[in-house]
Amino acid sequence: MNNMKVKQLSIFLQNKKGSLYDVLETLSEHDVNIRALSLADTSDFGILRVVVDNPQKGEKILEENYLVKTTDIVAIEMTDSPGGLSSVLKTIKENNLDLEYLYAFTHDKKDKAILLLHTDNLNALIDALIKNEIVIVPPEEVYNL
């Protein structure tokens, strides 16, 4: 099951001007390429979630100046059309799984998108996806998109 899990970096940022730029510039300076990102904020801090082409290198670089946590997530391929996301969410609901968060991005495959999912039970999520013939995208493919 581990070979189906994508490594995501969560970076805790102060909610002040330039915080996001500083992280992204640090990654750029060290030739670490972002594949997907999501930013959530509160009044005091933000959580930047990124999938990069080299998670180990990205974590090593960022942990020198930031609080960084590596989390396993699952990437799936879904149809990039109306109803594509809801069909995946229906499967998750029918399997009584609770999503903590998700984010998506498109790529060069026509009519397909990548959906990144996190739940407290990734193995149950992977089992449900396989059982329902939802395509799980291997980590190496995500890192190299």
Side-chain angles (χ1 to χ4, degrees), residues 112-130:
K112 297 292 181 187
I114 302 288
L115 181 64
L116 302 168
L117 305 159
H118 186 267
T119 183
D120 62 354
N121 189 342
L122 285 180
N123 291 334
L125 175 62
I126 290 168
D127 288 342
L129 295 170
I130 291 169

Side-chain angles (χ1 to χ4, degrees), residues 14-84:
Q14 291 181 343
N15 200 352
K16 64 178 188 174
K17 285 182 185 170
S19 294
L20 178 60
Y21 169 81
D22 292 341
V23 171
L24 300 182
E25 185 63 14
T26 300
L27 290 171
S28 174
E29 287 171 356
H30 291 89
D31 200 31
V32 176
N33 200 3
I34 296 170
R35 296 296 175 223
L37 70 80
S38 171
L39 181 62
D41 70 330
T42 68
S43 57
D44 299 325
F45 65 93
I47 300 174
L48 173 64
R49 294 182 174 109
V50 294
V51 175
V52 297
D53 61 348
N54 187 334
Q56 293 78 14
K57 181 179 178 183
E59 180 182 28
K60 188 173 189 298
I61 290 160
L62 292 176
E63 70 186 0
E64 293 174 13
N65 296 305
Y66 303 95
L67 179 56
V68 181
K69 180 181 172 192
T70 299
T71 308
D72 288 333
I73 60 175
V74 175
I76 64 164
E77 186 175 84
M78 66 176 196
T79 305
D80 185 17
S81 64

Side-chain angles (χ1 to χ4, degrees), residues 130-142:
I130 291 169
K131 184 175 81 184
N132 288 277
E133 298 179 1
I134 295 173
V135 176
I136 298 174
V137 183
E140 291 71 30
E141 189 175 325
V142 175

